[in-house]
Amino acid sequence: MTTMRDLARHLAIIISTLCVIAMWIVAGNLYPKLPAKIPLHFNLSGVPDSYGPPNFSNWFLLPVIATLLAVFLLGISALIPFLLRFAPEIVNIPRKQELLALPADAQRRAIQPLTMMMAMISFLITLLFIQILCATERIANGAWETLPSWPLLVLIPSILAIVVWGHIAIRRRITLETTIQLVINHSPQ
């Protein structure tokens, strides 16, 4: 049976994946518009401090990193049930002993917030990279002088808030699943 939480988790994964695809499309569309020299690095004030040619490795590095991060984050969240079963010592999760005492189906339900958290983090990081990519093009073509700071001021705290939410949600879900198992195990047959 598919629940609303399952649908939300799948939607988060789909949105994260679409965002990575969108980044590749944006990078591909902006590539022909680049001048002979583009910013490669920015200082803490958002001012370019290194320039280079707009070759494939310079321009498409952020989409490659975003893709690898998405694959890593979504892949790790998909592997957690397997790791809990066969290598629990490498999984760092709140209330791990309680989680490991649950049956496999309850464990999967308990860690659903983890998948959602990883997909949301992947989405926000990709948004940040898209913004940096677009701003790099604007700076390279002379429309802007520096990277705007507001995306960092919005997206970084959002990522931290999602990590806190995920931690709390996982702890609550483990408590709920543990309680359900206690009720099932102590109910008259």
Side-chain angles (χ1 to χ4, degrees):
M1 180 172 86
T2 303
T3 65
M4 287 301 288
R5 288 182 176 156
D6 289 332
L7 292 174
R9 185 171 45 89
H10 292 304
L11 183 62
I13 292 168
I14 290 167
I15 289 171
S16 177
T17 303
L18 290 174
C19 195
V20 170
I21 292 167
M23 183 170 192
W24 280 98
I25 292 169
V26 167
N29 284 335
L30 293 177
Y31 188 68
K33 300 173 186 171
L34 295 174
K37 183 175 81 166
I38 62 169
L40 300 178
H41 189 266
F42 300 88
N43 66 20
L44 290 176
S45 299
V47 177
D49 59 8
S50 177
Y51 288 87
N55 57 32
F56 185 86
S57 62
N58 286 342
W59 183 248
F60 290 97
L61 182 61
L62 280 178
V64 166
I65 293 172
T67 302
L68 292 174
L69 272 172
V71 167
F72 174 75
L73 291 172
L74 298 176
I76 288 291
S77 66
L79 283 175
I80 293 293
F82 174 81
L83 294 173
L84 282 172
R85 187 168 180 176
F86 296 107
E89 65 278 0
I90 67 171
V91 178
N92 185 8
I93 199 161
R95 304 180 87 162
K96 182 163 72 171
Q97 294 308 316
E98 289 177 51
L99 178 64
L100 292 173
L102 295 171
D105 61 326
Q107 284 181 3
R108 280 191 295 280
R109 287 190 305 271
I111 62 170
Q112 281 179 342
L114 179 67
T115 305
M116 179 79 115
M117 179 181 74
M118 297 290 210
M120 291 166 62
I121 290 170
S122 173
F123 168 71
L124 291 175
I125 289 172
T126 305
L127 279 182
L128 180 61
F129 284 6
I130 290 172
Q131 186 279 325
I132 292 169
L133 193 72
C134 292
T136 299
E137 182 272 333
R138 303 280 297 163
I139 293 166
N141 285 313
W144 292 355
E145 292 182 14
T146 64
L147 287 175
S149 59
W150 70 264
L152 283 175
L153 297 174
V154 171
L155 295 174
I156 299 299
S158 298
I159 291 168
L160 295 174
I162 288 169
V163 169
V164 170
W165 166 83
H167 185 80
I168 292 168
I170 291 166
R171 290 178 64 87
R172 285 183 178 172
R173 186 67 71 88
I174 291 170
T175 300
L176 174 66
E177 292 297 334
T178 301
T179 304
I180 291 170
Q181 291 306 310
L182 287 173
V183 170
I184 290 171
N185 293 335
H186 292 93
S187 64
Q189 299 296 328

